[in-house]
Amino acid sequence: MSESHLILDRLHRLVAEDRRPQAPLSARRGASSLFSFVTHSRERIAGAAFSRLSIVVIVEGSKELLSMGRQQRFAAGTMLVLPPGWSGDVVNDPDPATGAYRAIFIDFPDALVRRAEAAFPPPRGPFRLDLALDAASIDAIHHAGDGLMDACLPAPLVEHRVLEILMVLGMRGALPARAETTAEAVSALVRWQPDRAWTADRIAAELGTSNATLRRRLGLEGTSLRAVIAAERIARAETMLTEDGLSLREVALATGYRSPRRFAERRRAVHGSADGVV
């Protein structure tokens, strides 16, 4: 057995059977929980959404995420770090050799995340969802998983074990930065669903404020709702053009524009030139 399989084998006890949440993950509150997803046939979960920072550890099989206008596939041995507000479609594929897909899901209360952020301030800038599992993260997940599954352990001890995972993420620079301005909060919403028909009323409702307050706050920050949405959509589009090799038409539709011409106009307005070079 290879070293990578030996490492993953330590986590198999946590995914021995399917233990999915009964309520939507977008409504999660309270202490951390561990859920396991096990399937022996390809499954698609549409409209998945997480209200809290969460991790998904792929133990067996592979996972496909359709989010940010992109379609990305991740193999066993990958840990996905999903920021609060993440949303998208998920496809779980069993391993062809074993016939099973197995993954661990753990979410984190905001107060616990803040403790980790105090020790390891999250870096600003682009955020990467996927991390390769290493010895430190495997140890932390195994330790916390055992604690979350043991109903006899005191809650403070379980919390301490869960915090260990966040500390490992912090050490690896993998804690997602929080939105510090209204513009950043709007960008975070648009980022996961750039093709959605975002309106001021819809964004205000998502952020728990009013249309007028949203616009006033953005104005005080020296920007507008239209400018923030366009900048985020174009940023997603540039990634799809350079990293995914999609056509202009595919990128335009994936980022919410009705046609390549409309996309080109907005891209030119954001970058100042037709070809997107600043």
Side-chain angles (χ1 to χ4, degrees), residues 40-60:
H40 296 278
S41 60
R42 194 171 202 255
E43 66 175 0
R44 182 185 181 113
I45 302 172
F50 307 131
S51 60
R52 311 199 294 187
L53 175 66
S54 309
I55 62 169
V56 176
V57 182
I58 307 169
V59 179
E60 195 172 345

Side-chain angles (χ1 to χ4, degrees), residues 21 23-29 47-52 54 85-87 105 107:
L25 290 169
S26 58
R28 287 279 303 145
R29 297 290 186 273
F50 307 131
S51 60
R52 311 199 294 187
S54 309
W86 184 92
S87 62
F105 174 93
D107 62 357

Side-chain angles (χ1 to χ4, degrees), residues 52-95:
R52 311 199 294 187
L53 175 66
S54 309
I55 62 169
V56 176
V57 182
I58 307 169
V59 179
E60 195 172 345
S62 62
K63 178 182 287 291
E64 191 175 280
L65 297 184
L66 292 87
S67 182
M68 298 188 290
R70 306 176 69 190
Q71 184 172 326
Q72 299 171 281
R73 181 170 291 277
F74 305 97
T78 302
M79 173 167 56
L80 302 176
V81 184
L82 304 177
W86 184 92
S87 62
D89 293 350
V90 175
V91 177
N92 298 327
D93 276 318
D95 185 313

Side-chain angles (χ1 to χ4, degrees), residues 151-249:
C152 297
L153 281 183
L157 179 56
V158 175
E159 183 180 84
H160 180 78
R161 292 187 178 189
V162 172
L163 180 60
E164 186 181 349
I165 298 176
L166 294 171
M167 290 297 187
V168 170
L169 293 179
M171 289 171 61
R172 297 183 66 178
L175 287 174
R178 292 175 181 272
E180 296 181 352
T181 65
T182 301
E184 289 178 352
V186 173
S187 291
L189 279 177
V190 177
R191 183 171 304 134
W192 306 122
Q193 295 177 292
D195 60 337
R196 188 173 181 182
W198 290 108
T199 63
D201 287 338
R202 180 170 287 172
I203 289 176
E206 292 274 2
L207 297 180
T209 187
S210 68
N211 187 325
T213 299
L214 172 66
R215 293 183 183 277
R216 183 176 70 253
R217 289 174 177 170
L218 289 172
L220 291 173
E221 294 172 10
T223 188
S224 68
L225 186 61
R226 183 182 183 187
V228 173
I229 292 174
E232 188 59 46
R233 281 177 166 165
I234 296 304
R236 297 306 104 219
E238 298 297 347
T239 298
M240 285 183 262
L241 286 169
T242 58
E243 296 184 14
D244 300 340
L246 300 183
S247 69
L248 282 175
R249 178 174 178 78

Side-chain angles (χ1 to χ4, degrees), residues 30-48:
S32 289
S33 294
L34 181 148
F35 301 109
S36 56
F37 289 76
V38 179
T39 182
H40 296 278
S41 60
R42 194 171 202 255
E43 66 175 0
R44 182 185 181 113
I45 302 172

